[in-house]
Amino acid sequence: MRHGQRWPTNIWHWIGQLMRLALSLSDIRSAKAPEDLTPVIFEISVRYELSHMSFLVARSGTRDTGYPLYFTTYPATWIEAYLARHFFETDPVLEAARSGHLPVDWSSLGRTVQDRHFFEEARFHGIGPNGLTIPVRGAYGELGFFSVASDLCKDDWFRLCATSTNDLHILSHYLHEAVFAITGLRKGVSPRKLSRRETQCLHLLATGKIHKQIAAALGISESSVRLYLRSAREKLFASTSHQAVAKATYLELINL
């Protein structure tokens, strides 16, 4: 870039997004005890202009744990109502997330009378109206749910999702790693060392690049990118590439 020439606005926006993710991952890494996690997710929710954020552990291994372990910014009144009404067993969001791997947009639910009543009560307690829940499945049968809620209008919510979904995927898996490490729910397993190409592919994926862009940046084929990401997942005991990014960052194998 020539002297005096300004960076394009979209470049600054991209740098800002990358910094936001890096700060959020650093905040999570700073948590050393379970009581540190709720203040951390509160700070992250503010950073992403979300009204609430939550991480819930539904299964710590091959068995359900009953009522889950959770870390949340939800109001105390909603938590009390949720537990008292046994919503963990009937929550339509969790029901949808349990049966799949993709994020669940709350707006796609609420078709039955029971579900509509659930969302009406949630809104009464200040949750929503917009939200997204990402199921996180660990390599050892673990199951967690990362949820974010927003009171933005629909158009602004869609814009937020468009710019932040990649970050939210990484944050969901990073929180998963942090929660299981800090609470002692999982015994430590040492991953195998990543190769240079595996590290490069994970780092570029973390910045929001797709396979085609990663291939171009590294001068390799898209099939090679997929191969390196698959081997990285295997070495890190990760179910998805986003989970591999989160684990690699948490273990400081890559840096953002």
Side-chain angles (χ1 to χ4, degrees):
M1 176 167 287
R2 295 188 301 273
H3 178 69
Q5 186 176 354
R6 293 185 178 182
W7 287 98
T9 302
N10 61 340
I11 293 293
W12 288 115
H13 180 69
W14 177 80
I15 292 173
Q17 285 186 298
L18 193 58
M19 287 299 298
R20 183 172 61 176
L21 177 60
L23 286 170
S24 299
L25 297 182
S26 177
D27 286 345
I28 297 171
R29 193 183 298 117
S30 70
K32 304 301 180 186
E35 58 268 23
D36 298 334
L37 287 168
T38 297
V40 162
I41 64 173
F42 173 79
E43 290 297 327
I44 296 172
S45 67
V46 171
R47 188 172 291 136
Y48 280 85
E49 300 180 63
L50 296 160
S51 56
H52 291 291
M53 184 174 285
S54 173
F55 189 88
L56 178 153
V57 178
R59 190 168 62 234
S60 61
T62 56
R63 296 182 179 179
D64 286 337
T65 57
Y67 273 95
L69 172 68
Y70 58 86
F71 302 92
T72 183
T73 66
Y74 290 155
T77 55
W78 174 236
I79 296 172
E80 291 169 5
Y82 195 96
L83 295 176
R85 302 277 296 279
H86 304 285
F87 280 145
F88 177 61
E89 300 166 7
T90 60
D91 184 336
V93 176
L94 298 190
E95 184 178 351
R98 277 193 183 97
S99 60
H101 291 81
L102 298 177
V104 176
D105 190 316
W106 299 357
S107 65
S108 66
L109 306 173
R111 291 187 174 87
T112 69
V113 173
Q114 182 179 358
D115 291 352
R116 286 196 294 272
H117 286 165
F118 172 85
F119 286 115
E120 286 170 4
E121 184 157 355
R123 284 194 292 273
F124 175 78
H125 289 281
I127 311 301
N130 304 302
L132 190 73
T133 294
I134 301 174
V136 184
R137 302 177 187 278
Y140 307 99
E142 307 145 354
L143 176 62
F145 300 107
F146 174 70
S147 298
V148 297
S150 171
D151 53 12
L152 294 172
C153 69
K154 260 194 192 312
D155 287 344
D156 288 342
W157 166 245
F158 289 148
R159 277 192 287 271
L160 178 65
C161 287
T163 58
S164 303
T165 297
N166 183 68
D167 286 15
L168 295 177
H169 270 288
I170 294 172
L171 286 169
S172 69
H173 291 293
Y174 203 83
L175 268 172
H176 179 90
E177 293 304 311
V179 166
F180 275 79
I182 290 171
T183 59
L185 287 173
R186 180 203 297 149
K187 295 180 180 179
V189 178
S190 299
R192 291 157 55 197
K193 184 178 179 180
L194 298 177
S195 71
R196 180 173 64 92
R197 283 299 195 206
E198 290 164 349
T199 301
Q200 290 172 329
C201 288
L202 286 175
H203 183 269
L204 289 169
L205 184 68
T207 64
K209 297 285 193 298
I210 60 175
H211 290 174
K212 184 177 181 179
Q213 294 169 321
I214 296 172
L218 298 179
I220 58 179
S221 67
E222 287 186 58
S223 59
S224 294
V225 171
R226 293 188 179 89
L227 181 63
Y228 286 126
L229 289 175
R230 185 176 67 186
S231 60
R233 289 195 300 268
E234 291 172 353
K235 288 181 179 180
L236 292 167
F237 307 102
S239 302
T240 67
S241 292
H242 281 106
Q243 188 176 35
V245 167
K247 293 188 76 168
T249 310
Y250 188 76
L251 295 169
E252 300 184 342
L253 301 177
I254 62 173
N255 295 304
L256 292 179

